Amino acid sequence: MWVLLGIALIVAGFVLRFNPLLVILASAIATGLAAGLDPLTILAAFGKAFNDSRYVSVVWVVLPVIGLLEAHGLQERARGLIDRMRGATTGRFLLFYLVARQISAAMGLISVAGHAQTVRPLVAPIAEAAAEKQAGTLDEEQRDEIKAWAAATDNVGVFFGEDIFLAIGSILLIKGLLEQYGIMLEPLQLSVWAIPTAIAALLIHGFRLWRLDRRLNAQGKAAEDAA
Amino acid sequence: MITLHWVYALMGAVFAGYALLGAADRSNPRRFTTAAFWALLALSMWAGDRIGDIGNGVLVLGLVAIAGFKGMGRGSGGVPLAERQARADRHGNGLFAIALVIPVTALVGTFLFKAFPAWIDPKQTTLISLALGVLIALAIGCTWLRARPIVALQQGRQLMDSVGWVAILPQMLASLGAVFALAGVGDVVGGIVRLAIPDGSLLGAVIAYGVGMALFTIVMGNAFAAFPVMTAAIGIPLLIHHYHGDPAIICAIGMLAGFCGTLLTPMAANFNLLPAALLELKDEYGVIRRQVGTALPLLCVNILLIYWLAFR
């Protein structure tokens, strides 16, 4: 049971906001010591695993291309495309973003969008503006809620799109782990099974966005009736 | 034969480039420690197989020391918005086409290279194709945009600096998973979870795997750490060996059950807490609150998908 100490350390470390890399290392040391391993064995095991899982970090090889394209206006181009979508409701706009994010993530284009790149400058403001048109005025709390919907939609889109792409870290991790147990699989054999969940995520989150639209419209109608 | 080591060599060169360019970036107040971080990663890519397990362990200690004691910084700079806007108008949608070269090459290469097992390691075609796609996209991009390759490397470095130490978080969590496996954490957790499984119930075992993935991910903040533990505890011995389930389906969807947990936890700081700060929400858990209604039903769907699809 003492080996669970490492898990407790992880939880405590995150709650207390220590640097996650330090927390992970501390947890590995505590877990190893609790299991009766000597420090050098723990260090060697961690080092070997780090070296064996280098393929997880190979995805960063795409950054120079993304950087080159961004310096030449990739995001501005994307913004121009989306700007023409005015008149959309909050729910429909976020649904559009969800689909676009899922498809682009499924093609491996994860870093062309994200909280810093698209949600803050683009998705959240457009969603907020659309919500204001639907509901009349928004109070501070509702504004925050719409922004949170924008961030949540980005997460859902990228989480349940990315595993369709062959070379993403999680697919490679699955492949690597199964290899340790003598089960040889190709990334494609794994990534096709991410498609049913991707569709379910689209339906569930899309349904919730549709209900958000109905709520905002009802509020707008009530405000109109009161006036 | 072209193997994954060619890709590692390329990655090592890229990280070494980041280190050199980073050390020269005077706008970064911590340029030398930041450069040292990328230099250590270059060393890991180039010499990881030669420096031994303890050597790699020491290398990780170095990385953690730099990141843990706030040695990572980033410079200012980059192309100003007006210039990017003007370039976007000039280049048009061809920019998207270049971005698409990478995934298309990865996909095509994965199938095509199977035909040349003597030249290209057939087990690694996807990653090799990905790296090849990057090189092709760079060649086309630099020619068409009339940019020198060093510009791409410089831009890539600035993106890498903004990612910072988070870049090795997945690799660190995978390594923690390995130490957990060595220490038998999976057996202990698995034993606890298995206690909850009704004897001989396949559905019970599938629920335990799916819910276990989500719960463990909530605790660890990352499905990458939960996956090896839950798969070693329940996935491999029970679902795959005992009930003869399809490993590809169980693991692919099991990982996604873990992602449902990621939506629910502040431990997944870069997805759930970072945007709340970025959007200046008063409630730091506001993003998580909006995700509960999607994550829980989707977890049920994932569990049912494993149950229906993997045991035909």
Side-chain angles (χ1 to χ4, degrees):
Chain A
M1 285 307 257
W2 278 111
V3 293
L4 296 183
L5 190 69
I7 296 177
L9 266 182
I10 285 275
V11 175
F14 272 94
V15 170
L16 297 174
R17 304 280 158 88
F18 288 119
N19 179 290
L21 298 187
L22 280 176
V23 173
I24 291 168
L25 198 65
S27 168
I29 294 167
T31 304
L33 291 177
L37 305 171
D38 71 277
L40 269 187
T41 311
I42 301 169
L43 187 69
F46 202 92
K48 179 179 183 343
F50 188 82
N51 192 51
D52 287 346
S53 48
R54 272 180 301 174
Y55 58 87
V56 172
S57 295
V58 163
V59 288
W60 299 117
V61 79
V62 301
L63 286 192
V65 178
I66 302 288
L68 180 71
L69 295 178
E70 285 190 354
H72 288 82
L74 182 69
Q75 284 185 24
E76 286 66 30
R77 195 71 211 169
R79 214 160 294 173
L81 277 184
I82 292 169
D83 262 349
R84 273 174 245 146
M85 294 242 324
R86 276 193 196 127
T89 64
T90 311
R92 268 184 241 152
F93 169 69
L94 287 179
L95 184 64
F96 164 81
Y97 183 69
L98 177 66
V99 173
R101 190 81 167 110
Q102 272 193 309
I103 291 175
S104 58
M107 295 189 301
L109 299 168
I110 286 170
S111 4
V112 284
H115 296 300
Q117 303 98 305
T118 50
V119 176
R120 159 134 195 165
L122 191 67
V123 181
I126 293 180
E128 222 182 305
E132 216 150 37
K133 247 192 293 180
Q134 283 170 274
T137 50
L138 298 174
D139 59 32
E140 195 69 24
E141 206 169 299
Q142 284 177 309
R143 235 170 248 290
D144 272 10
E145 191 193 328
I146 300 294
K147 287 187 199 166
W149 272 106
T153 301
D154 187 272
N155 280 337
V156 171
V158 73
F159 285 9
F160 301 102
E162 66 172 347
D163 264 25
I164 300 173
F165 185 57
L166 304 167
I168 203 69
S170 50
I171 290 287
L172 300 173
L173 176 65
I174 297 171
K175 175 175 147 63
L177 185 89
L178 284 174
E179 259 173 33
Q180 289 173 24
Y181 291 91
I183 302 170
M184 304 309 236
L185 283 176
E186 274 300 309
L188 187 64
Q189 289 171 281
L190 291 163
S191 64
V192 290
W193 294 107
I195 295 174
T197 304
I199 295 169
L202 178 64
L203 292 177
I204 293 170
H205 200 73
F207 173 70
R208 297 184 64 220
L209 291 172
W210 175 74
R211 293 219 326 186
L212 173 68
D213 255 357
R214 297 232 320 179
R215 227 174 37 238
L216 290 169
N217 288 338
Q219 191 191 330
K221 205 160 173 302
E224 238 170 63
D225 292 346
Chain B
M1 188 164 83
I2 296 179
T3 64
L4 202 49
H5 287 93
W6 291 51
V7 179
Y8 290 154
L10 175 68
M11 277 312 290
V14 171
F15 279 128
Y18 291 165
L20 290 174
L21 293 173
D25 180 2
R26 286 173 191 283
S27 68
N28 180 354
R30 302 193 183 91
R31 59 182 164 139
F32 291 117
T33 41
T34 308
F37 190 87
W38 304 130
L40 279 175
L41 275 182
L43 183 70
S44 162
M45 289 291 168
W46 275 338
D49 293 329
R50 262 166 272 156
I51 57 178
D53 294 342
I54 296 207
N56 278 300
V58 173
L59 190 147
V60 172
L61 288 182
L63 290 169
V64 174
I66 292 172
F69 297 103
K70 305 194 193 314
M72 300 293 281
R74 53 191 288 203
S76 52
V79 182
L81 178 64
E83 173 64 22
R84 289 204 311 267
Q85 188 65 57
R87 289 174 173 181
D89 295 339
R90 194 161 67 239
H91 299 305
N93 291 334
L95 290 167
F96 295 118
I98 299 179
L100 282 173
V101 166
I102 301 170
V104 168
T105 309
L107 195 65
V108 172
T110 300
F111 292 108
L112 192 67
F113 290 164
K114 293 266 184 273
F116 304 101
W119 295 355
I120 289 149
D121 185 352
K123 288 202 295 286
Q124 306 292 356
T125 51
T126 307
L127 281 180
I128 294 167
S129 309
L130 178 84
L132 186 66
V134 166
L135 293 177
I136 295 174
L138 271 180
I140 298 175
C142 287
T143 313
W144 182 53
L145 301 169
R146 303 225 177 99
R148 285 178 302 145
I150 191 86
V151 174
L153 194 63
Q154 188 67 269
Q155 296 294 332
R157 179 194 62 93
Q158 282 175 357
L159 281 180
M160 199 77 240
D161 277 356
S162 67
V163 173
W165 53 262
V166 176
I168 62 160
L169 199 50
Q171 214 181 328
M172 287 291 288
L173 284 162
S175 310
L176 178 63
V179 174
F180 276 8
L182 194 66
V185 173
D187 296 337
V188 177
V189 173
I192 294 170
V193 178
R194 259 193 299 239
L195 284 180
I197 304 175
D199 227 12
S201 163
L202 170 62
L203 182 62
V206 173
I207 291 174
Y209 181 60
V211 173
M213 267 303 292
L215 280 180
F216 208 74
T217 301
I218 289 171
V219 170
M220 305 290 286
N222 193 316
F224 279 37
F227 179 78
V229 172
M230 294 311 297
T231 302
I234 301 174
I236 303 262
L238 262 181
L239 299 183
I240 294 174
H241 287 159
H242 185 70
Y243 288 111
H244 305 291
D246 182 327
I249 301 175
I250 291 167
C251 291
I253 304 179
M255 180 67 92
L256 295 169
F259 284 5
C260 293
T262 315
L263 291 173
L264 297 170
T265 176
M267 307 293 168
N270 43 346
F271 296 111
N272 296 334
L273 301 186
L274 180 143
L278 204 60
L279 296 168
E280 293 159 287
L281 305 186
K282 269 206 285 303
D283 177 7
E284 65 173 330
Y285 297 135
V287 179
I288 295 175
R289 275 184 229 288
R290 298 278 83 77
Q291 288 170 168
V292 175
T294 298
L296 293 181
L298 197 55
L299 178 59
C300 298
V301 169
N302 279 324
I303 289 168
L304 289 173
L305 281 175
I306 296 177
Y307 183 66
W308 285 330
L309 298 174
F311 301 94
R312 282 166 305 172

